[in-house]
Amino acid sequence: MNENKRYSVSVIGDSDCLVDSICYRLAYETGMLLADNRYYIVTGGLGGVMEAADKGAHASKYYEFGDTIGYLPGNHTALANQWVDRPIPTSLGHVRNAIVAQSDAIIAVGGAAGTLSEMCFAWIFDRLVVGLTCNGWSKELAGKKIDNRIRFPHIKDDCVFMASNPIEAVNLINQKLPQYLGI
């Protein structure tokens, strides 16, 4: 990959994920590792997994202001969790999930219907998608194709890649992103 260019990774998952839950811890570690690897962290800007990933990015020794970007469903920046550096109100409700799915890659941590929509949008938009096998849709789709289309003829193992922990997830992003971006 281009050493001078920074890429974005969306961390998606359940907004109701509690601070003391495993999905919160996994999202926190994912956000920190992504920042350690100099990725921009994109979320939906609210609580749960989104808050955890943004907070984790802030814990990285490589964190810089601007590393966390939150596409909010409403029209007020005040609704963003406190760890979002760049809150972007969309006034689109769940339709904003299509914007969140426009990052260079996506890591799903658990999740319900909103996460499923983001994973499907990412698949449609030909993005690299990684699912942590913790629970929800990320576990359900990890290791599978969302549909039978051939998105990349040169990537024979294209699917929602399975990761059992944040280290595996970020390693998959580092390894596979050049193939998906054609660099």
Side-chain angles (χ1 to χ4, degrees):
M1 289 193 300
N2 182 342
E3 296 286 330
N4 297 320
K5 179 168 174 41
R6 293 185 61 198
Y7 299 92
S8 62
V9 177
S10 290
V11 180
I12 61 174
D14 195 345
S15 63
D16 295 329
C17 172
L18 300 175
V19 173
D20 60 350
S21 69
I22 189 159
C23 71
Y24 195 96
R25 180 183 58 78
L26 292 170
Y28 178 91
E29 290 174 22
T30 299
M32 186 168 60
L33 287 168
L34 288 169
D36 286 350
N37 282 267
R38 306 303 297 133
Y39 291 103
Y40 291 111
I41 293 83
V42 175
T43 67
L46 300 177
V49 164
M50 298 169 274
E51 175 186 282
D54 293 329
K55 185 177 181 180
H58 279 250
S60 168
K61 66 180 179 180
Y62 297 103
Y63 164 79
E64 295 176 5
F65 182 82
D67 283 352
T68 59
I69 302 158
Y71 290 104
L72 300 163
N75 59 1
H76 300 290
T77 59
L79 298 176
N81 73 63
Q82 68 181 348
W83 307 103
V84 173
D85 298 334
R86 306 273 187 221
I88 302 170
T90 66
S91 300
L92 294 172
H94 283 288
V95 175
R96 72 80 157 82
N97 293 353
I99 298 170
V100 173
Q102 287 289 347
S103 287
D104 297 306
I106 285 75
I107 298 175
V109 183
T115 304
L116 174 60
S117 74
E118 289 166 320
M119 292 176 81
C120 290
F121 277 126
W123 186 264
I124 291 166
F125 298 149
D126 292 333
R127 299 304 192 255
L128 168 59
V129 183
V130 175
L132 282 169
T133 58
C134 52
N135 60 27
W137 282 108
S138 69
K139 180 179 180 180
E140 186 68 29
L141 293 174
K144 300 177 183 169
K145 293 176 174 260
I146 292 180
D147 61 26
N148 289 324
R149 75 184 76 194
I150 298 174
R151 301 187 317 149
F152 298 92
H154 66 285
I155 302 174
K156 301 297 183 203
D157 62 344
D158 180 40
C159 66
V160 174
F161 291 95
M162 181 185 310
S164 60
N165 60 61
I167 293 171
E168 283 182 18
V170 175
N171 284 342
L172 279 164
I173 299 292
N174 289 336
Q175 174 192 7
K176 301 234 177 240
L177 192 56
Q179 292 176 301
Y180 279 81
L181 296 179
I183 52 176

